[in-house]
Amino acid sequence: MTFVITQPCCSDASCIPVCPVDCIRPRPGDPQYSTTEMLYIDPDTCIDCGECVSACPVDAIFSEFDLAATMTRYTDVNRGYFERHPLDTDTAPLSGREKRPSKEPGTLSVAIVGTGPSACYTAEALLRRGGVEIDMFDRLPTPWGLVRGGVAPDHPKTKGVADMFASEFRSASLQFFLNVDVGKHVSLAELREHHHAVVYAVGASGDRRLEIPGEDLPGSHSATEFVAWYNGHPDYVDRTFDLSGERAVIVGNGNVALDVARILTIDPDELAKTDIADHGLEALRSSNIREVVVLGRRGPMQAAYSMPEFLALGYLSGVDVVIDDAELTLDPVSQAIYDDPDIEPSRKLGLDLAREYTHSARTTGNKRIVFRYLVSPRHIRGGDHVESVELVHNILDGDLNAVGTESTTNVETSLVLRSVGYRGEPVADVPFDEQRGVIPHDRGRVTGTVGVYTAGWIKRGPRGIIGTNRGDAEETVAMLLEDFEAGILPAPKADRAALAELVTRRRPQMIDKERWRDIDAAEKAAGRIAGRPRVKLPLIDVALSDD
């Protein structure tokens, strides 16, 4: 018997150090780790100890005998990885994960701007060092960033990583300053006066545009707005989306696009068991949408979604996944990539699944998620509201770039959601690369500064999944510790008590760790009554209040 890693895997590598036979791959530092969609267990080496199960923060690991019907395919997925990458015998410890003893010169004081996954992994790495004081800032009144405001509500296991952070952050060495906007309520210079170092882990809050006519018509939105709206983000709770038509079109086919497609088609009674925002649930109960069309400018072998997410769509209750066979026969490039002996088995699964969906049964009365490949939107048409999307059919050049042809078609719709990527936004008083949408840096040390660092999407761009941030954060912390132990970081001029007094005076609505615990407890208590994980408090009055 072996244990198997399945769809919810966040790739944060918590399971790797506890494995007594070192049979989980890829590891941080391995060439495949930065691009992997999930981790895998070697079935021929696993000794069935189960240590990885308790270490997994998102409950993604199961005995092969306990796999649900929707997960049985992952036995072959795990085995397939090791057929391509046989287990090596290098059992060196996981770089950066061992606890480092505190070194002189004394206690290290760090401010972290942001409380999402990259910020939390940064704090976790610092806490392992010992001898630290960490102050985490967020302009929102709640922590956890995209774990709370971006992960789809029907993926509760993925949200479990927040529980891991909450458990690790009980120490008084770490404090929260929530509902505080760094750059507005407190400056970088003031943070530097109270800390040896400041780490910006603010994510990528902007979204990319299509730059086509009609993009700003009513009924055309970014998926970023829609996701934040149904997740109860205070900035977006007052948004409205036209769900009166029978068809929605999503431009882009990454995991966010698949999240949105599921939310628009899942039975609202199922969503009522999740932590979806109440206003979102109410609107979805009244939705007339029966079909969601997902557009991709390349073929299924180059699609942006991960194979676990694509596979999971086939098990949705009351939803048909529809792909016309012509979508695949017109795409010889995908077959050529599939036949390449150097292609990972997990990528080949993408074309296998697409072919299976072309032949899957259709059920009368079901809603539909329809995948279109090799198409790009050229014009969003309508009068005072979106009415249709004009698509251009693509061919791929030798570099697999999509090239438009004169062949076009129109898809009628009243709702268009663009899901073509996030983009980092400039940060006050910090250098910014406008072209790449990131803070320029050397392994996390911000270019041209002393004592200022960066981690996560604002450091490397919006790519990777939750666990990818762990290795990224540890790289940044390694640079920070190197500078601290070399004595090049100026000592703080004021202590933590002075910082708390300053922030409280500037921002009386500041939410500290104790107050957040009260909010968290209240949301979970309301959830228990309703049979849900939590009922989110919108907190919009707190978030939007200004001094």
Side-chain angles (χ1 to χ4, degrees), residues 289-333:
I289 291 175
R290 305 292 304 171
E291 179 178 282
V292 177
V293 180
V294 180
L295 307 179
R297 64 191 181 96
R298 299 179 182 176
M301 285 297 291
Q302 304 96 43
Y305 49 68
S306 68
M307 291 311 106
E309 294 296 329
F310 193 43
L311 171 60
L313 291 180
Y315 296 100
L316 292 178
S317 176
V319 180
D320 292 336
V321 180
V322 178
I323 300 176
D324 192 307
D325 187 59
E327 298 284 335
L328 306 185
T329 57
L330 295 174
D331 179 28
V333 173

Side-chain angles (χ1 to χ4, degrees), residues 2-6 41 60-64 67 71 74-75 78:
T2 182
F3 280 82
V4 179
I5 299 179
T6 64
I41 293 174
I61 306 178
F62 300 88
S63 160
E64 63 177 329
L67 285 172
M71 298 290 189
Y74 284 98
T75 300
N78 278 244

Side-chain angles (χ1 to χ4, degrees), residues 440-508:
H441 66 93
D442 174 19
R443 291 167 289 172
R445 183 192 291 132
V446 174
T447 303
T449 66
V450 175
V452 183
Y453 303 83
T454 185
W457 279 5
I458 195 64
K459 169 187 173 184
R460 69 180 188 277
R463 60 182 183 274
I465 56 179
I466 288 176
T468 312
N469 291 293
R470 170 165 258 161
D472 177 281
E474 287 172 349
E475 177 187 63
T476 295
V477 170
M479 294 297 285
L480 190 159
L481 293 178
E482 179 181 314
D483 291 347
F484 177 63
E485 291 162 7
I488 67 174
L489 300 182
K493 297 177 181 178
D495 61 15
R496 176 178 265 185
L499 174 69
E501 189 278 330
L502 170 68
V503 175
T504 302
R505 175 164 40 86
R506 296 264 185 87
R507 184 63 165 162

Side-chain angles (χ1 to χ4, degrees), residues 149-386:
V151 173
D154 65 329
H155 279 11
K157 289 185 177 181
T158 305
K159 295 174 181 281
V161 71
D163 294 330
M164 178 186 73
F165 294 142
S167 177
E168 294 181 349
F169 293 173
R170 291 173 182 167
S171 169
S173 297
L174 184 144
Q175 295 294 336
F176 281 157
F177 292 86
L178 306 175
N179 208 36
V180 175
D181 192 344
V182 172
K184 178 180 179 182
H185 300 118
V186 61
S187 68
L188 170 60
E190 289 168 329
L191 291 183
R192 292 297 317 280
E193 290 178 358
H194 294 82
H195 303 89
H196 291 94
V198 179
V199 181
Y200 281 87
V202 294
S205 58
D207 59 86
R208 300 185 183 278
R209 292 178 57 83
L210 299 174
E211 305 297 345
I212 62 174
E215 184 172 9
D216 294 318
L217 278 173
S220 174
H221 311 267
S222 73
T224 304
E225 297 173 68
F226 189 67
V227 169
W229 169 75
Y230 67 61
N231 272 318
H233 191 298
D235 292 351
Y236 297 90
V237 296
D238 60 349
R239 300 294 172 91
T240 58
F241 298 87
D242 185 357
L243 307 179
S244 63
E246 293 192 354
R247 179 184 290 125
V249 171
I250 302 174
V251 182
N253 61 8
N255 284 348
V256 172
L258 268 57
D259 287 346
V260 171
R262 290 196 320 276
I263 296 303
L264 286 170
T265 53
I266 290 175
D267 186 337
D269 286 342
E270 291 300 313
L271 290 175
K273 303 172 186 176
T274 74
D275 68 350
I276 189 170
D278 287 345
H279 61 262
L281 179 61
E282 181 181 357
L284 289 165
R285 285 195 184 279
S286 302
S287 171
N288 291 325
I289 291 175
R290 305 292 304 171
E291 179 178 282
V292 177
V293 180
V294 180
L295 307 179
R297 64 191 181 96
R298 299 179 182 176
M301 285 297 291
Q302 304 96 43
Y305 49 68
S306 68
M307 291 311 106
E309 294 296 329
F310 193 43
L311 171 60
L313 291 180
Y315 296 100
L316 292 178
S317 176
V319 180
D320 292 336
V321 180
V322 178
I323 300 176
D324 192 307
D325 187 59
E327 298 284 335
L328 306 185
T329 57
L330 295 174
D331 179 28
V333 173
S334 283
Q335 183 62 54
I337 297 172
Y338 184 93
D339 292 337
D340 186 337
D342 293 327
I343 293 298
E344 295 283 350
S346 61
R347 285 193 61 195
K348 292 189 176 186
L349 181 60
L351 187 55
D352 290 337
L353 288 170
R355 287 171 171 159
E356 290 174 18
Y357 288 142
T358 65
H359 299 104
S360 59
R362 310 284 187 258
T363 302
T364 302
N366 274 7
K367 294 181 182 178
R368 295 157 43 104
I369 299 176
V370 180
F371 284 86
R372 297 286 307 275
Y373 298 102
L374 297 175
V375 291
S376 297
R378 185 160 71 177
H379 197 138
I380 299 175
R381 298 190 180 277
D384 58 0
H385 195 279
V386 169

Side-chain angles (χ1 to χ4, degrees), residues 419-432:
S419 183
V420 291
Y422 293 91
R423 176 177 170 80
E425 298 288 345
V427 177
D429 303 320
V430 178
F432 189 72

